[in-house]
Amino acid sequence: MLNIRNLKCAYRTKGSTNKVFDGVNIQLSRGLNVILGPNGAGKSTLLKVIFGLLKHEGEVYYGDLNLSQMRIEDKTDFMAYLPQMDVEISTLTVLEMVLLGLLPELGSKITDEDLRVTMKTLESLNIEALASRNFGELSGGPKKLVFIAQTLVRKPELILLDEPVNSLDLQKQLELCHLLKNIVREQGVDIVMVLHDINLAARYGDYIVVMDACGRCYDSGSAQEVISSKMLKDVYGVQADVNMDEKGVVMIAPIRSIRSC
């Protein structure tokens, strides 16, 4: 699906250059991909590179398409990117915010079909009751769900999500991950999302990429293949028990930081 070849990327701050990636190669799969790794591993940077927001060396392919040679305007025809963001003030209602996700498809007049698709998207996230609410009045969790609805309403082929469960309570985290899994299965959409919760990644991810603190790909594959006590110690500096439930889903029980041993 996504093939990242010899990726090099750096930030320039106050006259110095900080390398994030130095010749990284990453192969992602069809379906729901999860990027794991500690703070500073370059997870968010990787999504920005894929979408074309950061200058980089190397190539990023989506199937036969070389994304590195495409303009962002062309990429938005088939892919969507939701960064970590929040808008505190807005005079728009939730319905109007999600309708904006249909741009530029929206014509001069909003149609009944536009409204039907938008309301169906809100219902899938269990936030249809917020349709008439002012977006700026919502708390962080519902705002996050509105942004996700705005992304999903376009029905892109590829979706990039940066920590989409942040500020959501446990129930909404599970509901959102379940919804994304269903979208992958039913609509054939490919998703790449950054998560910090390893248990959520293990339960819902079809394919997992683990980045280490130096911006290198430590391992990739299924949850059963990549999530281990050794990986958690090497990458996160954490001692943990790794088991499986009756359905074969990997479960992680952190014990302590190895720095405190």
Side-chain angles (χ1 to χ4, degrees):
M1 189 266 287
L2 272 169
N3 189 0
I4 300 166
R5 305 173 184 173
N6 196 30
L7 177 62
K8 297 180 181 180
C9 181
Y11 284 106
R12 297 183 182 276
T13 56
K14 296 181 180 180
S16 62
T17 301
N18 301 310
K19 289 185 178 180
V20 183
F21 303 119
D22 190 11
V24 171
N25 294 287
I26 300 173
Q27 180 79 45
L28 292 106
S29 178
R30 296 297 308 269
L32 183 55
N33 295 263
V34 179
I35 310 295
L36 290 176
N39 292 336
K43 304 182 296 298
S44 297
T45 300
L46 183 62
L47 296 191
K48 292 177 183 177
V49 167
I50 293 171
F51 197 63
L53 297 177
L54 294 176
K55 291 183 178 180
H56 63 276
E57 297 180 28
E59 296 179 318
V60 180
Y61 279 88
Y62 178 56
D64 296 328
L65 296 175
N66 188 339
L67 301 184
S68 300
Q69 296 180 358
M70 295 179 65
R71 301 180 306 164
I72 290 181
E73 293 83 357
D74 297 327
K75 293 178 185 178
T76 54
D77 289 339
F78 63 90
M79 65 189 296
Y81 166 57
L82 181 63
Q84 298 181 51
M85 60 185 294
D86 196 7
V87 175
E88 293 298 331
I89 300 174
S90 175
T91 59
L92 298 178
T93 66
V94 167
L95 179 66
E96 291 167 336
M97 285 289 293
V98 179
L99 276 169
L100 287 177
L102 290 174
L103 290 171
E105 288 82 0
L106 282 176
S108 57
K109 182 179 179 181
I110 296 173
T111 67
D112 289 341
E113 178 62 15
D114 295 330
L115 291 172
R116 186 193 69 79
V117 170
T118 300
M119 286 304 300
K120 185 176 181 181
T121 304
L122 292 173
E123 289 168 7
S124 69
L125 289 165
N126 294 313
I127 56 173
E128 68 273 18
L130 300 178
S132 61
R133 289 276 302 278
N134 185 294
F135 176 80
E137 298 174 353
L138 303 181
S139 59
K143 281 183 179 178
K144 172 70 75 171
L145 292 176
V146 172
F147 279 126
I148 290 171
Q150 192 182 73
T151 301
L152 297 178
V153 75
R154 291 181 45 222
K155 297 184 178 179
E157 299 175 31
L158 173 63
I159 302 174
L160 310 176
L161 300 172
D162 195 354
E163 300 188 33
V165 301
N166 273 13
S167 69
L168 299 181
D169 61 39
L170 181 58
Q171 182 185 42
K172 291 184 175 62
Q173 289 180 26
L174 292 168
E175 289 178 348
L176 175 59
C177 288
H178 182 74
L179 171 65
L180 295 176
K181 190 80 169 182
N182 284 341
I183 289 173
V184 166
R185 290 173 176 169
E186 296 171 6
Q187 301 180 21
V189 176
D190 294 316
I191 295 177
V192 181
M193 67 175 174
V194 171
L195 287 180
H196 276 296
D197 191 315
I198 304 175
N199 280 307
L200 278 179
R203 181 165 296 276
Y204 293 102
D206 296 315
Y207 194 82
I208 296 174
V209 173
V210 180
M211 309 294 295
D212 68 15
C214 296
R216 297 172 300 208
C217 180
Y218 177 89
D219 201 359
S220 61
S222 67
Q224 292 85 349
E225 292 170 331
V226 303
I227 297 178
S228 64
S229 297
K230 183 179 186 304
M231 182 278 286
L232 294 167
K233 181 178 180 181
D234 292 346
V235 175
Y236 289 93
V238 168
Q239 180 184 349
D241 288 332
V242 178
N243 300 291
M244 290 189 185
D245 66 13
E246 66 278 4
K247 294 184 179 180
V249 177
V250 176
M251 299 186 301
I252 301 92
I255 299 172
R256 63 176 66 88
S257 165
I258 61 173
R259 289 187 298 192
S260 63
C261 294

